[in-house]
Amino acid sequence: MKVYVSVDMEGVTGLTDPEEMHAGGRGYERGCELMTADANAVIAGVFEAGATAVIVNDAHGSTKNLRVDLLDARASLIRGPGKPMRMAQGLTGDFQAACFAGYHARAGVQHGVLNHTWMGKEIQNVYLNGEVCGETRLVAGCAGFLGVPVALVTGDEAVCEEARSLLGDVETVAVKKGVDRFSAELLPPSVAQALIREAAARALNRLSDFTPYKVTPPFTLGVEWNSTAIASGCSLIPGTRQAGPRHTEFTTDDFRDIMALMGIYATIAGQIACGSGVYG
């Protein structure tokens, strides 16, 4: 039984500060250790429930955050930039389950800790087939396209609510309760990681309860940018059209194109924002 684990950072146990998300920031190194501990809790739980292989994808920022020297030796790790599928790198149709650890709420959720969608400064909102969309829905949509159900989501209370409204009775673990975007009530790591391990085991033991999350094709990705310059620049990508002064759209029949395009968008948008002084 193969299990895929995508690990983001904003929803990791104990973290609330943007500096903890970036190399060189105060608390980042400890954040990487906590991120790895949450991943290990998922790995331990699924192996207890019968997993035979686990692949972990470092899905945050530079994708060089998870500590491979501290990772459970039974799992393998995908890390480093340049991954075409970004947050879903390594996910294929031969996995029996996908787990999302350290995930966060979509942009604009009031009590979502470190809430954003894909890019915190450059993007205001993302839409999938006309409906507002967070990273949980994007990666779940890719998994569903490949026929893989999402079994577990961990992060703050807001993303757990988002996951259940989207995926139904999926296993969730809220490791923190948001006060505002940069503040939260936190569970101690030992408590949170024990809950994650137990939920991961439960998720695999009730795998027959879950079905892949299916989005009806064709898939239209809409992005509301924070500036007209970024929208104009990204609209130059073949297949992307400008649907408004700050809005781009892209339509495809292959959901994997959306994951790849989001990575290209991030590269272009980041360069334009830095070059123009747009830090919104």
Side-chain angles (χ1 to χ4, degrees), residues 43 75-76 109 113 162 214 259 275:
I43 296 165
S76 59
V109 175
V113 183
E162 188 175 320
K214 295 288 189 180
M259 301 305 297

Side-chain angles (χ1 to χ4, degrees), residues 67-197:
R67 288 279 302 273
V68 68
D69 56 319
L70 300 179
L71 193 73
D72 189 313
R74 294 172 292 181
S76 59
L77 173 65
I78 302 172
R79 76 187 295 268
K83 299 185 295 189
M85 293 291 288
R86 308 291 168 158
M87 294 185 76
Q89 185 65 37
L91 180 58
T92 60
D94 60 347
F95 286 91
Q96 279 67 57
C99 300
F100 302 162
Y103 270 50
H104 56 83
R106 61 175 175 79
V109 175
Q110 185 175 7
H111 300 296
V113 183
L114 296 161
N115 68 80
H116 68 280
T117 304
W118 208 269
M119 302 178 74
K121 297 177 181 178
E122 293 83 359
I123 290 177
Q124 296 296 318
N125 281 298
V126 172
Y127 301 88
L128 182 60
N129 288 5
E131 297 180 359
V132 69
C133 178
E135 292 171 24
T136 300
R137 189 177 183 214
L138 281 173
V139 188
C142 186
F145 177 76
L146 297 168
V148 180
V150 176
L152 170 71
V153 177
T154 80
D156 70 336
E157 278 193 356
V159 78
C160 291
E161 292 172 5
E162 188 175 320
R164 289 190 296 270
S165 67
L166 181 73
L167 304 171
D169 190 26
V170 63
E171 289 286 344
T172 61
V173 179
V175 302
K176 48 194 163 187
K177 178 180 181 180
V179 176
D180 206 336
R181 194 180 187 197
F182 303 125
S183 56
E185 179 183 340
L186 307 171
L187 290 180
S190 60
V191 174
Q193 288 148 16
L195 292 173
I196 292 172
R197 182 172 182 161

Side-chain angles (χ1 to χ4, degrees), residues 4-277:
Y4 178 82
V5 185
S6 176
V7 189
D8 205 353
M9 198 168 188
E10 287 85 357
V12 162
T13 298
L15 304 185
T16 61
D17 191 329
E19 285 201 29
E20 296 167 332
M21 306 294 114
H22 305 288
R26 183 173 180 272
Y28 170 73
E29 295 301 332
R30 178 58 178 150
C32 291
E33 294 174 1
L34 290 166
M35 182 182 182
T36 308
D38 279 12
N40 281 341
V42 177
I43 296 165
V46 296
F47 271 112
E48 284 176 9
T52 56
V54 176
I55 292 180
V56 178
N57 179 36
D58 188 327
H60 174 73
S62 69
T63 67
K64 297 185 292 183
N65 313 284
L66 286 170
R67 288 279 302 273
V68 68
D69 56 319
L70 300 179
L71 193 73
D72 189 313
R74 294 172 292 181
S76 59
L77 173 65
I78 302 172
R79 76 187 295 268
K83 299 185 295 189
M85 293 291 288
R86 308 291 168 158
M87 294 185 76
Q89 185 65 37
L91 180 58
T92 60
D94 60 347
F95 286 91
Q96 279 67 57
C99 300
F100 302 162
Y103 270 50
H104 56 83
R106 61 175 175 79
V109 175
Q110 185 175 7
H111 300 296
V113 183
L114 296 161
N115 68 80
H116 68 280
T117 304
W118 208 269
M119 302 178 74
K121 297 177 181 178
E122 293 83 359
I123 290 177
Q124 296 296 318
N125 281 298
V126 172
Y127 301 88
L128 182 60
N129 288 5
E131 297 180 359
V132 69
C133 178
E135 292 171 24
T136 300
R137 189 177 183 214
L138 281 173
V139 188
C142 186
F145 177 76
L146 297 168
V148 180
V150 176
L152 170 71
V153 177
T154 80
D156 70 336
E157 278 193 356
V159 78
C160 291
E161 292 172 5
E162 188 175 320
R164 289 190 296 270
S165 67
L166 181 73
L167 304 171
D169 190 26
V170 63
E171 289 286 344
T172 61
V173 179
V175 302
K176 48 194 163 187
K177 178 180 181 180
V179 176
D180 206 336
R181 194 180 187 197
F182 303 125
S183 56
E185 179 183 340
L186 307 171
L187 290 180
S190 60
V191 174
Q193 288 148 16
L195 292 173
I196 292 172
R197 182 172 182 161
E198 293 165 5
R202 280 197 309 272
L204 221 59
N205 282 326
R206 53 184 291 250
L207 197 55
S208 61
D209 293 344
F210 309 124
T211 56
Y213 174 68
K214 295 288 189 180
V215 182
T216 303
F219 313 113
T220 297
L221 175 72
V223 181
E224 180 189 359
W225 301 95
N226 78 344
S227 80
T228 55
I230 294 175
S232 295
C234 288
S235 69
L236 299 176
I237 300 171
T240 299
R241 60 187 177 276
Q242 191 157 357
R246 294 190 297 112
H247 196 109
T248 58
E249 288 189 348
F250 172 85
T251 299
T252 180
D253 289 321
D254 189 333
F255 204 99
R256 292 168 293 185
D257 293 341
I258 287 177
M259 301 305 297
L261 182 63
M262 288 299 289
I264 297 170
Y265 278 171
T267 299
I268 293 174
Q271 289 175 345
I272 292 173
C274 290
S276 64

